[in-house]
Amino acid sequence: MAMSRQSKDNLIRNAFFLTALSSIVALALIMLYLFIEGLPIFKIVSVTDFLFGHYWYPTSEPHEFGIFPLIVASLAVTALSSAIAIPLGVMTAIYLAEIASRRTRDIFKPIVELLAALPSVVIGFFGMVVVAPFIQETFDLATGLNLFNAAMMLAFMSVPTICSVSEDAIYAVPRELKEASLALGATHFETIAKVVLPASLSGISTAVMLGMSRAIGETMVVLMVAGGAAMIPTSIFSPVRPMPSSIAAEMAEASFRGDHYRALFAIGIVLFLFTLAFNLIASHVAEKHKQVGAATL
């Protein structure tokens, strides 16, 4: 007997519900394991000493589990890469959505999207083999593996995400808003600056936060090009060691469920909280500046 329309609807609804539920359950289990493995380190070291200690020597005697240099390195790399990637990504999105001809857009948009498909290890290898010697020779430095190199590579990775999401947000601006602005005598560039960008602010803000989240959580690139020095940077050319690279570099040598192992999971908790904060901020900004139709501008 043929399945009724209501039965099909219920089946599809339940399938989507189970898919969404499985994602939530998987995330919850990962969070649970992260906290179970990481929190016991705070029986050895206080939260304050862990977060604000200036020395990371997990294998010395006595152990030093201060991750403040790692936090500063992660924030510095993220901030510098964002300063490079946000203008490039947003301006590229404006050009593709509002200025470029259809033919130009059809050529450049696939190229931008293709950049997002590049494996991080390839970008890291490019930074290590090509960019690092260039920086070292140009600025007469001891090493080209430093904060600036890592920030450039992370910006290179973040631009496609920021550009694609921002472009979609700009495309979603109601056409009548642009037409009304032009009809009132505004130029094309005035319309972009005073109508299109404010109307698409929600989506652009989300794009920026997604790009920053990717930058702060990226592992392979910073592991290869940041320099690996667990110290507070004094300039953009200082070698640094962000949190993800510490986890990746040291997890294999940490004894299972030893103090070092627990400390690395605690770093994972801090990194998770930073990423969660970025996502919450993005959600708040997107909701605050949400554009519905043409009447809410």
Side-chain angles (χ1 to χ4, degrees):
M1 185 174 66
M3 185 180 295
S4 66
R5 178 177 295 180
Q6 184 64 34
S7 299
K8 289 181 180 179
D9 288 345
N10 290 335
L11 180 63
I12 294 172
R13 186 183 299 109
N14 291 332
F16 279 117
F17 173 75
L18 290 175
T19 303
L21 183 63
S22 63
S23 300
I24 295 172
V25 169
L27 179 60
L29 291 175
I30 292 172
M31 287 176 52
L32 181 63
Y33 186 76
L34 188 65
F35 280 89
I36 288 175
E37 296 294 338
L39 289 179
I41 191 61
F42 297 118
K43 297 177 181 177
I44 309 297
V45 60
S46 68
V47 175
T48 303
D49 290 340
F50 183 76
L51 293 177
F52 299 105
H54 285 218
Y55 301 103
W56 174 256
Y57 298 120
T59 57
S60 66
E61 289 295 341
H63 302 311
E64 294 282 353
F65 291 121
I67 67 166
F68 188 69
L70 312 184
I71 294 175
V72 173
S74 292
L75 294 177
V77 169
T78 302
L80 186 56
S81 66
S82 298
I84 299 170
I86 291 171
L88 283 176
V90 174
M91 287 191 291
T92 303
I94 294 171
Y95 175 75
L96 292 176
E98 294 292 327
I99 300 173
S101 65
R102 184 176 184 85
R103 182 178 180 181
T104 304
R105 186 184 304 119
D106 291 341
I107 293 173
F108 283 99
K109 185 171 173 58
I111 295 175
V112 172
E113 293 177 345
L114 184 63
L115 292 177
L118 286 176
S120 58
V121 66
V122 173
I123 297 174
F125 186 74
F126 175 78
M128 185 170 61
V129 174
V130 177
V131 178
F134 174 78
I135 293 175
Q136 184 176 3
E137 294 174 7
T138 302
F139 297 100
D140 192 23
L141 302 172
T143 177
L145 302 176
N146 50 40
L147 191 157
F148 183 61
N149 191 345
M152 284 200 301
M153 295 302 101
L154 289 179
F156 186 70
M157 294 181 65
S158 301
V159 164
T161 301
I162 296 173
C163 178
S164 296
V165 179
S166 297
E167 186 185 3
D168 291 340
I170 293 170
Y171 268 129
V173 175
R175 185 179 180 85
E176 56 265 32
L177 285 176
K178 306 175 191 177
E179 293 175 345
S181 175
L182 294 171
L184 290 171
T187 65
H188 188 195
F189 289 101
E190 287 174 337
T191 300
I192 292 173
K194 297 182 179 180
V195 176
V196 174
L197 289 181
S200 57
L201 183 61
S202 172
I204 293 175
S205 301
T206 302
V208 168
M209 290 301 172
L210 288 174
M212 293 178 68
S213 295
R214 181 172 188 187
I216 199 171
E218 176 57 40
T219 302
M220 187 55 67
V221 169
V222 292
L223 179 64
M224 297 175 72
V225 303
M231 59 184 185
I232 297 175
T234 56
S235 75
I236 62 172
F237 298 116
S238 297
V240 292
R241 189 168 198 166
M243 291 184 285
S245 63
S246 291
I247 297 172
E250 300 175 25
M251 185 59 76
E253 65 187 34
S255 58
F256 182 65
R257 291 187 173 168
D259 293 341
H260 188 189
Y261 174 91
R262 303 286 191 190
L264 293 175
F265 269 92
I267 295 176
I269 294 174
V270 175
L271 190 59
F272 168 77
L273 293 176
F274 272 111
T275 306
L276 179 63
F278 279 130
N279 290 334
L280 290 176
I281 293 171
S283 178
H284 172 73
V285 172
E287 189 63 30
K288 182 178 180 181
H289 299 282
K290 191 173 184 180
Q291 171 73 18
V292 181
T296 58
L297 183 61

